[in-house]
Amino acid sequence: MRSTSKGKKLALAVSAALVVFALGVCGCASNTPQKAADADADIKAAATEPAADEQKDEPAAPEAKDDAADKTAVGGMIMGSFFDKDAGDLLEDNYTNRELVNAGNRGCNACHEDLADVMGDSTRPALHAIVEIGYGMKMTYKDCATCHGLAGGFYSPYLGDLLHGAHYGNQMFVETYNGNCWSCHAVAYQADGSWDLEMFDDVVHEPTLGGYKDAVTNPKSREWVRDHGHGSDYLNGTRTEAEPDMTVELDQRITDAKDLFVVYNYPPDQLDMKAITDQNNTFTLRGVAEEKSYTVEDLKKMPQTTVAAAHECVTNGQGGSMVGNFEYTGVSITDLVEDCGGLLEGMNQANILCYDNWQFAHNALPLDIYMKDAIIAYELNGEPLVQENGAPMLLVLPGMPAGAWGKFIQEVQFSHADEPTNILTYATSSPAYAGLMNYINAGWLVDDGVEVKLGETVELPGFAWGWTDVRAPLGQIQFSTDGGVTWMDYDIDESYDPNQCVQFTVKWTPKEAGTYVIKVNATNTDGETMVHPIGLFVKVNA
């Protein structure tokens, strides 16, 4: 582990066609409606009178109440009427956030504490492929956007029309809780003066929330807000520190296996998982001088290779937790090819076939990705693979996202193409996938709303990585505690393995009580940056 000293934003403008889908991942339609009259009675009974004004500049917040008093728990959800103004649990309870923004009644997680509960709905025709997103984290809509954000879907249906219909056809959402467009959406102003719809969850961490679209770029706007009694540079009341008391530790430690995400290529309840994970299944190499098949026991008798590699889901969302460094043990592809007498002449690419019929979009990858440091693994962190991580054998491709790997691997097939192509390099260069393929990513490995006592140091873990064999390796991680006005840069040392992600631990002692947003951003060695820096609310209690 090393400690680096302090050194010194590409905003995501999501189109209306993309963002409308996420209204649906709130999933209200999957729950049994409560009778409107009963729910309204509950809400009215819970209402309390606001506290007397104590400040001249703005009305005081209502007295603190237990969430259960003004929110109704229904089917695993926490819901309140849109008409019951609420600043929520993350932002400051001030006039702007409560009376104007109504932040507590907006965003997917205002309704659904964990979107994973929606995916577990027993009325679905099949189980969702995502089982766990790792680290015990709660699921947000960003964990859904990569797959479901494309019209036509990325191996998944585009949910915009489907879930708008589901919400507006749900009596509880519309009539009882007065759900509407602004329950999930926000207006985002563009540089050319136009406006668009974004997801509220995409702007809740932004200083622009509340109306000053140039809050970050124009110091006059920040001065105006502060001089008019808001106690902050921003209308949302977040505190700022341009020079925080902060250190950042970087390392490439191995992640505990219990924190590895669990994602299937196809719904597991639709497959014969017993047959797929049979320990006697074989792995076959084709396109070689002598085709051979191997069981796990056969592999154990061959020269052993252990690699440490970043294991990140190809659909990991912006700042998503489906990533970590893990050690895999097995036999290298180069040793297996040698055991088979070498490659047939002209072989310059390879594709896969898995026992669950996964074939990585039926696309081959250039030969060098396989012949560099790929292995057929049967152990993860020193323990035998289990069903959740691809037993009995897993193809590991360090430097590539895990969609290109092969859980339940059955075959690697070498072949010839006039121009071998890495489909992910093509996809990440395509405007059709802009903002969805997070080939450079960073995020927090802790849920939003961290609390710390004034004077104490808070430790905030996270990660950053770039898909080394798709674009370029990770080059720098950046942090901001003043809304993105200034950034602290931490260069990635050349000694770090580019095939592993970089974990960071921010150790920060805020100087005053209040609500802060700390942001993380990452760039690769080609200067490409994340689509959107990832914010985290930190509440400092006096």
Side-chain angles (χ1 to χ4, degrees), residues 41-98:
D42 290 342
I43 294 169
K44 291 175 181 177
T48 59
E49 293 297 323
D53 287 355
E54 296 179 355
Q55 297 184 18
K56 182 178 180 180
D57 293 331
E58 69 170 45
E63 293 179 359
K65 300 178 291 184
D66 190 324
D67 282 345
D70 61 347
K71 299 281 188 178
T72 305
V74 182
M77 302 187 302
I78 303 297
M79 298 191 65
S81 171
F82 197 83
F83 295 153
D84 290 343
K85 299 293 186 67
D86 186 359
D89 296 328
L90 298 177
L91 287 158
E92 292 272 327
D93 191 4
N94 64 22
Y95 178 81
T96 298
N97 297 330
R98 183 180 64 254

Side-chain angles (χ1 to χ4, degrees), residues 7 22 53 66 88 119 150 171 196 226 253 255 296-297 365 391 395 401 455 473 502 520 534:
D53 287 355
D66 190 324
M119 296 197 312
L150 289 172
Q171 182 180 7
D196 206 344
R226 184 172 288 279
R253 63 188 179 275
T255 307
V296 168
E297 293 305 314
L365 291 170
L395 168 67
V502 174
V520 62
I534 302 300

Side-chain angles (χ1 to χ4, degrees), residues 14-26 108 141 148-149 151 158-165 167-168 181 184-186 196-200 202:
V14 185
S15 67
L18 167 60
V19 298
V20 292
F21 94 91
L23 175 64
V25 296
C26 296
C108 296
Y141 106 90
H148 294 285
Y158 173 65
L159 298 182
D161 190 52
L162 300 180
L163 293 176
H164 275 87
H167 276 72
Y168 283 102
C181 296
C184 299
H185 295 293
D196 206 344
L197 286 179
E198 285 194 15
M199 295 306 297
F200 181 79
D202 275 332

Side-chain angles (χ1 to χ4, degrees), residues 138-206:
K138 296 175 182 177
M139 184 174 287
T140 73
Y141 106 90
K142 289 187 178 181
D143 295 306
C144 311
T146 302
C147 280
H148 294 285
L150 289 172
F154 181 78
Y155 279 94
S156 303
Y158 173 65
L159 298 182
D161 190 52
L162 300 180
L163 293 176
H164 275 87
H167 276 72
Y168 283 102
N170 184 282
Q171 182 180 7
M172 181 175 63
F173 176 75
V174 177
E175 297 182 6
T176 304
Y177 299 111
N178 305 294
N180 57 75
C181 296
W182 308 114
S183 298
C184 299
H185 295 293
V187 171
Y189 290 93
Q190 311 303 321
D192 61 2
S194 63
W195 64 272
D196 206 344
L197 286 179
E198 285 194 15
M199 295 306 297
F200 181 79
D201 292 332
D202 275 332
V203 302
V204 67
H205 296 95
E206 297 305 314

Side-chain angles (χ1 to χ4, degrees), residues 1 135 249-256 308-309 324-327 445 460-463 496 500-505:
M1 182 177 292
Y135 304 91
E249 296 176 347
L250 306 180
D251 63 60
Q252 292 190 308
R253 63 188 179 275
I254 298 301
T255 307
D256 194 310
N325 289 331
F326 302 90
E327 282 189 343
L445 298 178
L460 306 172
F463 80 94
Y496 276 28
Q500 297 184 56
C501 68
V502 174
Q503 289 103 328
F504 58 78
T505 302

Side-chain angles (χ1 to χ4, degrees), residues 411-428:
E411 296 181 6
V412 167
Q413 306 160 346
F414 294 105
S415 59
H416 173 81
D418 291 339
E419 297 183 8
T421 302
N422 186 333
I423 185 63
L424 288 178
T425 301
Y426 169 80
T428 55

Side-chain angles (χ1 to χ4, degrees), residues 264 266-278 281 355-357 387 391 408:
Y264 291 92
Y266 303 102
D269 58 331
Q270 306 296 302
L271 301 171
D272 183 352
M273 296 307 301
K274 183 177 180 179
I276 288 172
T277 61
D278 190 322
N281 285 346
Y355 279 97
D356 64 352
N357 206 37
Q387 174 179 310
F408 324 114

